[in-house]
Amino acid sequence: SAMESLLGASMTGVVYSLFAGQPLTILGSTGPVLVFEKILYKFCKEYRLSYLSLRTCIGLWTAFFCVLLVATDASSLVCYITRFTEEAFASLICIIFIYEALEKLSHLRETFPVHMHSKLDLLTIYYCKCEPPAHPSNETLRFWRSNGIDVSGITWGNLTVTECRSLHGEFHGPACGHNGPYAPNVLFWCCILFFSTFVLSSLLKKFKTSRYFPTRVRSTVSDFAVFLTIVIMVLIDLGIGIPSPKLHVPHVFKPTRDDRGWLISPIGPNPWWTVLAALIPALLCTILIFMDQQITAVIVNRKEHRLKKGCGYHLDLLMVAVMLGVCSVMGLPWFVAATVLSITHVNSLKVESDCSAPGEQPKFLGIREQRVTGLMIFVLMGCSVFFTSVLKFIPMPVLYGVFLYMGVSSLRGIQFFDRLKLFWMPAKHQPDFIYLRHVPLRKVHLFTLIQLLCLVLLWAIKASRAAIIFPMMVLALVFVRKVMDFCFSKRELSFLDDLMPESKKKKLDDAKNEAKEEELKLGKPSRVDTPKPSSDRADPSEINISDEMSKTTVW
């Protein structure tokens, strides 16, 4: 339903960009919400209920509960969302992006099967033709009867692949797969497009630090890396001419299904009691929306981004709740703060100092805080319904490659993945992280293992039959973090789970150590109260200068 997605995103995004408290946040259809919708759809299909009608009831109840949370100052609970919770949730979103991209690519093998172990000398005798089914099923017989199809009067051998499938024919021959004839080159070309998009996007994004071309050119190429990659890959795909699957977009502004309009009845063909029964899934959906929205907002409002304007958690949730109700009544997808998109948006608005000296690294100065970029993103998304003649040339593997790039690029900067690397890294090669100075390595590994276990448990529940409790497990991350207060000291958690930027804490620690060393050289007692490291690493202020000349161990 491309038309519904574009319309819903444009409406919700424009309203949010104009009236929300933190316009740097980008709304989208997130992975956890998608998981909830899949569970709901499977439930409706199993019990023969109207999915859109039940979804409308759940959406309206969810919007009401979210407004209730705003009115009762529930957004103040974000103080319990620490780095442990937000990084576990952000990691889950990134992994969903990466997994979905690879899964979509693997599914192309079913649509475009490859003739494995074929013999080149027999290419002239390979064939695949359409034939009537030898033992037609009752469904096929009813289809033929209802459409008045005379099977004996059809020249099955002259039918195209689409015509054969529409008439419920079967494919026979040495060049036939399970669902149709083998498609030469298509799958491998899709793999090339997929990985080329990922690699080219990554290279163009890093072009900003290149030594070639002026700064303005490098910055422009880096800022529009994904867009330039899509344009380049579309041109290459058109030049090669292999029929890769393209983006399906409607040609007329109307709902995708012909049996529905732009307004959905909350009851519809469902029994009246489903309106009240929708309260239970609506509570679960409210937890998911609240956690998804607020965790993303906490990530955007991090101190390390140096934002000058205050955050507006209540106002953001109110805007999401209002548009959630509107989208539910219109049968449009639900949109909430998207972690990956928001991080990408904030990173693209970074302001860095100009480098004059050769080899000098630019310094981070802050974020361009404004409403224009978010507003124009969703205005252009709404206008894209009129550019369907251009969008239909975009190959689907290129979009899957963009999803993979967004998931992988968002993993950078997540402390959880930095700590995972320490398991296979010798101590002498470990980076100079501030928490490694003050926390024993075994405690760092224990903290990482608990976080990894929570992430694995979330994924296992999402993929199991108990997926309906997935929102509750996301909320349980906060309680797991509170229990960890009994396993770690406050000082250890202040370095492992504090939201203060790593670079800022390291500068403060270095300044204290330098001041202490200077006073020791002058023979004065130290006035800087530097906590003694609890790790196996030595404090530089405690190392004897004369002894260090004979030691080979470097702090």
Side-chain angles (χ1 to χ4, degrees):
S1 55
M3 186 64 70
E4 287 86 347
S5 297
L6 292 173
L7 178 62
S10 180
M11 285 174 45
T12 307
V14 168
V15 172
Y16 188 86
S17 300
L18 289 175
F19 302 107
Q22 181 51 276
L24 296 179
T25 305
I26 299 297
L27 303 187
S29 297
T30 63
V33 175
L34 176 63
V35 171
F36 180 83
E37 294 230 41
K38 282 185 176 180
I39 298 168
L40 180 62
Y41 178 76
K42 192 179 296 183
F43 175 83
C44 292
K45 192 174 181 180
E46 184 176 352
Y47 291 94
R48 296 183 180 180
L49 297 173
S50 173
Y51 167 67
L52 286 177
S53 296
L54 184 60
R55 181 181 178 275
T56 303
C57 294
I58 295 174
L60 291 174
W61 278 117
T62 303
F64 170 74
F65 289 142
C66 287
V67 172
L68 204 61
L69 291 175
V70 173
T72 55
D73 194 32
S75 293
S76 59
L77 297 175
V78 297
C79 64
Y80 296 103
I81 300 177
T82 61
R83 182 182 286 272
F84 175 87
T85 306
E86 70 173 54
E87 286 196 342
F89 190 77
S91 301
L92 177 67
I93 304 292
C94 294
I95 293 173
I96 287 176
F97 260 76
I98 297 171
Y99 176 80
E100 290 287 340
L102 295 172
E103 185 185 37
K104 294 289 185 183
L105 181 68
S106 65
H107 284 336
L108 292 177
R109 185 172 182 176
E110 302 173 3
T111 310
F112 305 101
V114 179
H115 194 182
M116 306 295 291
H117 308 294
S118 60
K119 297 181 180 180
L120 298 179
D121 194 43
L122 301 179
L123 290 178
T124 54
I125 62 175
Y126 285 144
Y127 68 92
C128 182
K129 62 181 181 179
C130 180
E131 295 180 358
H135 304 285
S137 62
N138 293 331
E139 181 183 356
T140 301
L141 293 174
R142 284 196 300 269
F143 173 77
W144 288 344
R145 195 179 303 111
S146 61
N147 291 275
I149 297 174
D150 183 12
V151 181
S152 59
I154 297 176
T155 309
W156 292 89
N158 296 332
L159 296 180
T160 62
V161 175
T162 305
E163 292 172 344
C164 185
R165 287 173 176 163
S166 63
L167 294 175
H168 294 205
E170 295 179 350
F171 296 96
H172 294 277
C176 292
H178 293 292
N179 300 318
Y182 294 122
N185 307 324
V186 177
L187 178 63
F188 299 112
W189 177 240
C190 290
C191 294
I192 292 173
L193 288 175
F194 176 78
F195 291 106
S196 298
T197 301
F198 170 71
V199 173
L200 187 58
S201 298
S202 303
L203 292 176
L204 291 180
K205 193 64 181 178
K206 297 177 182 177
F207 192 69
K208 193 173 186 177
T209 58
S210 173
R211 299 180 180 179
Y212 305 99
F213 299 101
T215 304
R216 185 176 295 274
V217 175
R218 287 187 276 115
S219 299
T220 303
V221 172
S222 178
D223 291 340
F224 293 93
V226 175
F227 174 75
L228 291 174
T229 300
I230 293 176
V231 172
I232 292 172
M233 299 312 295
V234 167
L235 294 177
I236 293 176
D237 181 69
L238 291 175
I240 297 298
I242 296 177
S244 57
K246 301 296 191 295
L247 178 66
H248 295 286
V249 288
H251 300 285
V252 183
F253 185 75
K254 66 173 186 177
T256 304
R257 290 178 52 172
D258 295 329
D259 59 345
R260 58 154 287 189
W262 287 115
L263 295 177
I264 306 297
S265 171
I267 300 179
N270 293 336
W272 63 269
W273 52 264
T274 55
V275 177
L276 301 177
L279 273 168
I280 299 174
L283 286 171
L284 297 174
C285 186
T286 302
I287 296 172
L288 198 59
I289 295 291
F290 181 82
M291 296 293 292
D292 211 345
Q293 173 68 33
Q294 304 297 34
I295 288 178
T296 304
V298 168
I299 294 174
V300 171
N301 293 316
R302 276 179 178 171
K303 294 179 182 179
E304 60 196 77
H305 292 150
R306 300 183 184 178
L307 300 179
K308 298 179 180 178
K309 299 176 182 178
C311 50
Y313 294 106
H314 293 327
L315 186 56
D316 293 349
L317 186 59
L318 178 63
M319 291 296 102
V320 169
V322 171
M323 295 311 299
L324 185 72
V326 173
C327 290
S328 300
V329 173
M330 295 185 66
L332 305 178
W334 293 332
F335 294 93
V336 69
T339 307
V340 175
L341 298 179
S342 299
I343 294 174
T344 307
H345 184 226
V346 171
N347 290 338
S348 67
L349 294 171
K350 285 183 177 179
V351 180
E352 295 178 339
S353 61
D354 296 329
C355 300
S356 55
E360 181 185 357
Q361 293 295 326
K363 295 182 180 179
F364 173 67
L365 301 178
I367 304 292
R368 294 184 181 92
E369 299 179 62
Q370 33 70 46
R371 298 181 183 270
V372 178
T373 53
L375 178 64
M376 291 308 300
I377 285 171
F378 293 105
V379 168
L380 291 174
M381 286 183 69
C383 295
S384 62
V385 298
F386 304 106
F387 302 130
T388 54
S389 58
V390 178
L391 296 177
K392 66 181 181 182
F393 292 108
I394 301 177
M396 291 303 295
V398 172
L399 298 181
Y400 301 154
V402 172
F403 295 155
L404 178 65
Y405 165 74
M406 293 173 65
V408 172
S409 62
S410 298
L411 292 177
R412 303 190 193 105
I414 296 181
Q415 188 193 90
F416 168 61
F417 284 92
D418 293 335
R419 285 187 272 105
L420 275 178
K421 298 175 186 176
L422 298 177
F423 281 104
W424 300 275
M425 196 178 296
K428 64 180 180 179
H429 295 303
Q430 291 174 359
D432 184 23
F433 293 132
I434 186 66
Y435 50 84
L436 290 179
R437 297 183 184 181
H438 300 275
V439 183
L441 189 59
R442 56 184 178 81
K443 282 296 189 75
V444 175
H445 288 337
L446 177 60
F447 188 87
T448 307
L449 283 173
I450 295 174
Q451 203 169 10
L452 179 63
L453 183 63
C454 291
L455 183 61
V456 171
L457 190 62
L458 278 176
W459 185 270
I461 291 175
K462 182 190 79 71
S464 67
R465 296 181 63 88
I468 192 67
I469 65 170
F470 175 74
M472 297 295 296
M473 296 307 300
V474 174
L475 181 62
L477 290 175
V478 179
F479 297 98
V480 172
R481 168 58 184 83
K482 294 301 293 181
V483 173
M484 290 172 65
D485 289 340
F486 300 100
C487 304
F488 299 86
S489 65
K490 289 185 178 180
R491 185 173 174 277
E492 290 170 343
L493 290 174
S494 68
F495 289 100
L496 288 171
D497 200 32
D498 190 24
L499 293 177
M500 183 182 287
E502 170 83 14
S503 58
K504 188 173 181 179
K505 284 196 286 189
K506 191 181 294 184
K507 287 179 181 178
L508 293 174
D509 194 62
D510 290 339
K512 289 181 180 180
N513 290 332
E514 289 175 6
K516 191 173 182 179
E517 286 180 358
E518 289 179 3
E519 293 186 350
L520 286 174
K521 288 179 181 178
L522 296 174
K524 298 178 181 180
S526 175
R527 297 179 182 177
V528 183
D529 186 17
T530 305
K532 187 176 181 180
S534 59
S535 65
D536 298 332
R537 301 179 178 218
D539 192 330
S541 62
E542 298 177 358
I543 298 177
N544 193 332
I545 304 298
S546 59
D547 291 343
E548 190 168 7
M549 298 296 293
S550 61
K551 290 184 179 179
T552 58
T553 305
V554 181
W555 172 73

Coordinates of all heavy atoms in Angstrom, one line a residue, residues 317-378:
L317 N 4.5 13.5 22.3 CA 3.6 12.4 22.4 C 2.2 12.8 22.1 O 1.4 12.0 21.5 CB 3.7 11.8 23.8 CG 2.9 10.6 24.1 CD1 3.4 9.4 23.2 CD2 3.0 10.2 25.6
L318 N 1.8 14.0 22.4 CA 0.5 14.5 22.1 C 0.2 14.5 20.6 O -0.8 14.1 20.1 CB 0.2 15.9 22.7 CG -1.2 16.5 22.4 CD1 -2.3 15.7 23.0 CD2 -1.2 17.9 22.9
M319 N 1.2 15.0 19.8 CA 1.1 15.1 18.4 C 1.0 13.7 17.8 O 0.3 13.5 16.9 CB 2.3 15.9 17.8 CG 2.3 17.4 18.1 SD 0.9 18.2 17.4 CE -0.1 18.4 18.8
V320 N 1.8 12.8 18.3 CA 1.8 11.4 17.8 C 0.5 10.8 18.1 O -0.1 10.1 17.2 CB 3.0 10.6 18.5 CG1 2.8 9.1 18.2 CG2 4.3 11.1 17.9
A321 N -0.1 11.0 19.3 CA -1.4 10.5 19.6 C -2.5 11.0 18.7 O -3.4 10.2 18.3 CB -1.7 10.8 21.1
V322 N -2.6 12.3 18.5 CA -3.6 12.8 17.6 C -3.5 12.3 16.2 O -4.6 11.8 15.7 CB -3.5 14.4 17.6 CG1 -4.4 15.0 16.5 CG2 -3.8 15.0 19.0
M323 N -2.3 12.2 15.6 CA -2.2 11.7 14.3 C -2.4 10.2 14.2 O -2.8 9.7 13.2 CB -0.8 12.1 13.7 CG -0.7 13.6 13.5 SD -2.1 14.4 12.7 CE -2.0 13.6 11.1
L324 N -2.1 9.5 15.4 CA -2.4 8.1 15.4 C -3.9 7.8 15.2 O -4.3 6.9 14.5 CB -1.9 7.5 16.7 CG -1.9 6.0 16.9 CD1 -0.9 5.3 16.0 CD2 -1.7 5.6 18.3
G325 N -4.7 8.6 15.9 CA -6.1 8.4 15.8 C -6.6 8.8 14.4 O -7.5 8.0 13.8
V326 N -6.1 9.8 13.8 CA -6.5 10.2 12.4 C -6.1 9.1 11.4 O -6.9 8.7 10.5 CB -5.8 11.5 12.0 CG1 -6.1 11.8 10.5 CG2 -6.3 12.6 12.9
C327 N -4.9 8.6 11.5 CA -4.4 7.5 10.6 C -5.2 6.2 10.8 O -5.4 5.5 9.8 CB -2.9 7.2 10.8 SG -1.8 8.5 10.3
S328 N -5.6 5.9 12.0 CA -6.4 4.7 12.3 C -7.8 4.8 11.6 O -8.2 3.8 10.9 CB -6.6 4.5 13.8 OG -5.4 4.4 14.4
V329 N -8.4 6.0 11.7 CA -9.8 6.1 11.0 C -9.6 6.1 9.5 O -10.5 5.6 8.8 CB -10.4 7.5 11.5 CG1 -11.7 7.8 10.7 CG2 -10.7 7.4 13.0
M330 N -8.5 6.6 9.0 CA -8.3 6.7 7.5 C -7.7 5.4 7.0 O -7.5 5.3 5.7 CB -7.5 7.9 7.1 CG -8.1 9.2 7.4 SD -7.1 10.6 6.8 CE -7.2 10.3 5.1
G331 N -7.4 4.4 7.8 CA -6.8 3.2 7.4 C -5.4 3.4 6.9 O -5.0 2.7 5.9
L332 N -4.6 4.3 7.5 CA -3.2 4.5 7.1 C -2.3 3.9 8.1 O -2.7 3.7 9.3 CB -3.0 6.1 7.0 CG -4.0 6.8 6.1 CD1 -3.6 8.3 6.2 CD2 -3.9 6.3 4.7
P333 N -1.0 3.7 7.7 CA -0.1 3.1 8.7 C 0.1 4.1 9.9 O 0.0 5.3 9.8 CB 1.2 3.0 7.9 CG 0.8 3.0 6.5 CD -0.5 3.8 6.4
W334 N 0.5 3.5 11.0 CA 0.9 4.2 12.2 C 2.3 4.7 12.1 O 3.2 4.0 11.7 CB 0.7 3.4 13.5 CG -0.8 3.0 13.7 CD1 -1.9 3.7 13.3 CD2 -1.2 1.8 14.4 NE1 -3.0 3.1 13.8 CE2 -2.6 1.9 14.4 CE3 -0.6 0.8 15.0 CZ2 -3.4 0.9 15.0 CZ3 -1.4 -0.2 15.6 CH2 -2.8 -0.1 15.6
F335 N 2.5 6.0 12.5 CA 3.8 6.6 12.5 C 4.2 7.0 13.9 O 3.4 7.7 14.6 CB 3.9 7.7 11.5 CG 3.7 7.3 10.1 CD1 2.4 7.3 9.5 CD2 4.8 6.8 9.3 CE1 2.2 6.8 8.2 CE2 4.6 6.4 8.0 CZ 3.3 6.4 7.5
V336 N 5.4 6.7 14.3 CA 6.0 7.1 15.6 C 7.5 7.4 15.3 O 8.0 7.2 14.2 CB 5.8 5.9 16.6 CG1 6.7 4.8 16.2 CG2 6.0 6.4 18.0
A337 N 8.1 8.0 16.4 CA 9.5 8.4 16.2 C 10.4 7.2 15.8 O 10.4 6.2 16.5 CB 10.0 9.0 17.5
A338 N 11.0 7.3 14.7 CA 11.9 6.2 14.1 C 13.3 6.5 14.6 O 13.9 7.5 14.2 CB 11.8 6.2 12.6
T339 N 13.9 5.5 15.3 CA 15.2 5.7 15.9 C 16.3 5.8 14.8 O 17.1 6.8 14.8 CB 15.5 4.4 16.7 OG1 14.5 4.2 17.7 CG2 16.8 4.7 17.5
V340 N 16.3 4.9 13.8 CA 17.4 5.0 12.8 C 17.3 6.3 12.0 O 18.3 7.0 11.7 CB 17.3 3.7 11.9 CG1 18.3 3.8 10.8 CG2 17.5 2.5 12.7
L341 N 16.0 6.6 11.5 CA 15.9 7.8 10.7 C 16.2 9.1 11.5 O 16.8 10.0 11.0 CB 14.4 7.9 10.2 CG 13.9 6.8 9.3 CD1 12.5 7.0 8.9 CD2 14.8 6.7 8.1
S342 N 15.8 9.1 12.8 CA 16.1 10.3 13.6 C 17.6 10.5 13.8 O 18.1 11.6 13.8 CB 15.4 10.2 15.0 OG 14.0 10.1 14.8
I343 N 18.3 9.4 14.1 CA 19.8 9.4 14.3 C 20.4 9.9 13.0 O 21.3 10.8 13.0 CB 20.3 8.1 14.7 CG1 19.8 7.7 16.1 CG2 21.9 8.1 14.7 CD1 20.2 6.3 16.6
T344 N 20.0 9.4 11.9 CA 20.5 9.8 10.6 C 20.3 11.3 10.3 O 21.1 12.0 9.8 CB 19.9 8.9 9.5 OG1 20.1 7.6 9.7 CG2 20.6 9.2 8.1
H345 N 19.1 11.7 10.7 CA 18.7 13.1 10.5 C 19.6 14.0 11.4 O 20.1 15.1 10.9 CB 17.2 13.3 10.8 CG 16.7 14.7 10.6 ND1 16.0 15.4 11.5 CD2 16.9 15.5 9.5 CE1 15.7 16.6 11.0 NE2 16.2 16.7 9.8
V346 N 19.8 13.7 12.6 CA 20.6 14.5 13.5 C 22.1 14.5 13.0 O 22.7 15.6 13.0 CB 20.5 14.0 15.0 CG1 21.5 14.6 15.9 CG2 19.1 14.2 15.5
N347 N 22.6 13.4 12.6 CA 24.0 13.3 12.1 C 24.2 14.2 10.9 O 25.3 14.7 10.7 CB 24.4 11.9 11.8 CG 24.5 11.0 13.1 OD1 24.7 11.5 14.2 ND2 24.4 9.7 13.0
S348 N 23.2 14.3 10.1 CA 23.3 15.1 8.8 C 23.3 16.6 9.1 O 23.6 17.4 8.2 CB 22.2 14.7 7.9 OG 20.9 15.1 8.4
L349 N 22.8 17.0 10.3 CA 22.8 18.4 10.7 C 23.9 18.8 11.6 O 23.8 19.9 12.2 CB 21.4 18.7 11.4 CG 20.2 18.5 10.5 CD1 18.9 18.6 11.4 CD2 20.1 19.5 9.4
K350 N 24.9 18.0 11.7 CA 26.1 18.3 12.6 C 26.8 19.5 12.0 O 27.0 19.6 10.8 CB 27.0 17.2 12.7 CG 26.5 16.1 13.7 CD 27.5 15.0 13.8 CE 27.0 13.9 14.8 NZ 28.0 12.8 15.0
V351 N 27.3 20.4 12.9 CA 28.1 21.6 12.5 C 29.5 21.3 13.0 O 29.7 21.0 14.2 CB 27.6 22.9 13.1 CG1 28.4 24.0 12.7 CG2 26.1 23.1 12.6
E352 N 30.5 21.4 12.1 CA 31.9 21.1 12.5 C 32.7 22.4 12.1 O 32.4 23.1 11.2 CB 32.4 19.9 11.8 CG 31.7 18.6 12.2 CD 32.2 17.4 11.4 OE1 32.8 17.6 10.3 OE2 32.0 16.3 11.9
S353 N 33.8 22.5 12.8 CA 34.7 23.6 12.6 C 35.5 23.4 11.3 O 35.7 22.3 10.8 CB 35.7 23.7 13.8 OG 36.5 22.6 13.8
D354 N 35.9 24.5 10.7 CA 36.7 24.5 9.5 C 38.2 24.2 9.8 O 38.7 24.6 10.8 CB 36.7 25.9 8.8 CG 35.3 26.2 8.3 OD1 34.5 25.2 7.9 OD2 34.9 27.4 8.2
C355 N 38.7 23.3 9.0 CA 40.1 22.9 9.3 C 41.1 23.7 8.3 O 40.9 23.6 7.1 CB 40.3 21.4 9.0 SG 39.2 20.4 10.0
S356 N 42.0 24.4 8.9 CA 43.0 25.2 8.1 C 44.3 24.5 8.0 O 44.9 24.5 7.0 CB 43.1 26.6 8.8 OG 43.5 26.4 10.1
A357 N 44.8 23.8 9.1 CA 46.0 23.2 9.1 C 45.9 21.8 8.4 O 44.9 21.1 8.6 CB 46.6 23.0 10.5
P358 N 46.9 21.4 7.7 CA 46.9 20.0 7.1 C 46.8 18.9 8.1 O 47.6 19.0 9.1 CB 48.2 19.9 6.3 CG 48.6 21.4 6.1 CD 48.1 22.1 7.3
G359 N 45.9 18.0 8.0 CA 45.8 16.9 8.9 C 45.0 17.2 10.1 O 44.7 16.3 11.0
E360 N 44.5 18.4 10.3 CA 43.7 18.8 11.5 C 42.3 18.2 11.3 O 41.7 18.4 10.3 CB 43.7 20.3 11.6 CG 42.9 20.8 12.8 CD 42.7 22.3 12.9 OE1 43.3 23.0 12.0 OE2 42.1 22.8 13.8
Q361 N 41.8 17.6 12.4 CA 40.5 17.0 12.4 C 39.5 18.1 12.8 O 39.7 18.8 13.7 CB 40.4 15.8 13.4 CG 41.3 14.6 13.0 CD 40.8 14.0 11.7 OE1 39.6 13.9 11.4 NE2 41.7 13.5 10.9
P362 N 38.3 18.1 12.1 CA 37.3 19.1 12.4 C 36.7 18.8 13.8 O 36.6 17.6 14.2 CB 36.3 18.9 11.3 CG 36.5 17.5 10.8 CD 37.9 17.3 10.9
K363 N 36.3 19.8 14.5 CA 35.7 19.7 15.8 C 34.2 19.9 15.8 O 33.7 20.7 15.0 CB 36.3 20.7 16.8 CG 37.8 20.6 17.1 CD 38.3 21.6 18.1 CE 39.8 21.4 18.4 NZ 40.3 22.5 19.3
F364 N 33.5 19.0 16.5 CA 32.1 19.1 16.6 C 31.6 20.3 17.3 O 32.0 20.5 18.5 CB 31.5 17.8 17.2 CG 30.0 17.8 17.4 CD1 29.2 17.8 16.3 CD2 29.5 17.8 18.7 CE1 27.8 17.8 16.5 CE2 28.1 17.8 18.9 CZ 27.3 17.8 17.8
L365 N 30.7 21.1 16.7 CA 30.3 22.4 17.3 C 28.8 22.3 17.8 O 28.4 23.1 18.7 CB 30.4 23.5 16.4 CG 31.9 23.8 15.9 CD1 31.9 24.9 14.9 CD2 32.8 24.1 17.0
G366 N 28.0 21.5 17.2 CA 26.6 21.4 17.6 C 25.7 20.9 16.4 O 26.2 20.4 15.5
I367 N 24.4 21.1 16.6 CA 23.4 20.7 15.6 C 22.7 21.9 15.1 O 22.3 22.8 15.9 CB 22.5 19.6 16.2 CG1 23.2 18.4 16.8 CG2 21.4 19.2 15.2 CD1 23.9 17.6 15.8
R368 N 22.4 21.9 13.8 CA 21.5 23.0 13.3 C 20.1 22.7 13.7 O 19.4 21.8 13.1 CB 21.6 23.0 11.8 CG 23.0 23.5 11.2 CD 22.9 23.6 9.7 NE 24.2 24.0 9.2 CZ 25.2 23.1 8.8 NH1 25.0 21.8 8.9 NH2 26.3 23.6 8.3
E369 N 19.6 23.4 14.7 CA 18.2 23.1 15.2 C 17.2 24.0 14.5 O 17.3 25.2 14.6 CB 18.2 23.4 16.7 CG 19.1 22.5 17.5 CD 19.1 22.9 19.0 OE1 18.1 22.7 19.6 OE2 20.2 23.3 19.5
Q370 N 16.3 23.4 13.7 CA 15.3 24.1 12.9 C 14.2 23.1 12.6 O 14.3 21.9 12.9 CB 15.9 24.7 11.7 CG 17.1 23.9 11.1 CD 16.6 22.6 10.4 OE1 15.7 22.6 9.7 NE2 17.3 21.5 10.7
R371 N 13.1 23.6 12.0 CA 12.0 22.8 11.6 C 11.9 22.6 10.1 O 11.1 21.9 9.6 CB 10.7 23.4 12.0 CG 10.6 23.6 13.5 CD 9.2 24.2 13.9 NE 9.1 24.4 15.4 CZ 8.6 23.5 16.2 NH1 8.2 22.3 15.7 NH2 8.6 23.7 17.5
V372 N 12.8 23.3 9.3 CA 12.7 23.3 7.9 C 13.0 21.9 7.3 O 12.2 21.4 6.4 CB 13.6 24.3 7.3 CG1 13.6 24.3 5.7 CG2 13.3 25.7 7.8
T373 N 14.1 21.2 7.7 CA 14.4 20.0 7.1 C 13.3 18.9 7.3 O 12.9 18.2 6.3 CB 15.8 19.5 7.6 OG1 15.7 19.4 9.0 CG2 16.9 20.4 7.2
G374 N 12.9 18.8 8.5 CA 11.8 17.8 8.8 C 10.5 18.1 8.0 O 9.9 17.2 7.5
L375 N 10.2 19.4 7.9 CA 9.0 19.8 7.2 C 9.1 19.4 5.7 O 8.2 18.9 5.1 CB 8.7 21.2 7.4 CG 7.5 21.8 6.7 CD1 6.2 21.2 7.2 CD2 7.4 23.3 6.8
M376 N 10.3 19.8 5.1 CA 10.4 19.6 3.7 C 10.5 18.1 3.4 O 10.1 17.7 2.3 CB 11.7 20.3 3.2 CG 11.6 21.8 3.2 SD 10.1 22.4 2.3 CE 10.4 21.7 0.7
I377 N 11.1 17.3 4.3 CA 11.1 15.8 4.1 C 9.7 15.3 3.8 O 9.5 14.5 2.8 CB 11.8 15.1 5.3 CG1 13.3 15.3 5.3 CG2 11.5 13.6 5.3 CD1 14.0 14.8 6.6
F378 N 8.8 15.6 4.7 CA 7.4 15.1 4.6 C 6.6 15.8 3.5 O 5.7 15.1 2.9 CB 6.8 15.1 5.9 CG 7.4 14.2 6.9 CD1 8.2 14.8 7.9 CD2 7.3 12.9 6.9 CE1 8.8 13.9 8.9 CE2 7.9 12.0 7.8 CZ 8.7 12.6 8.8

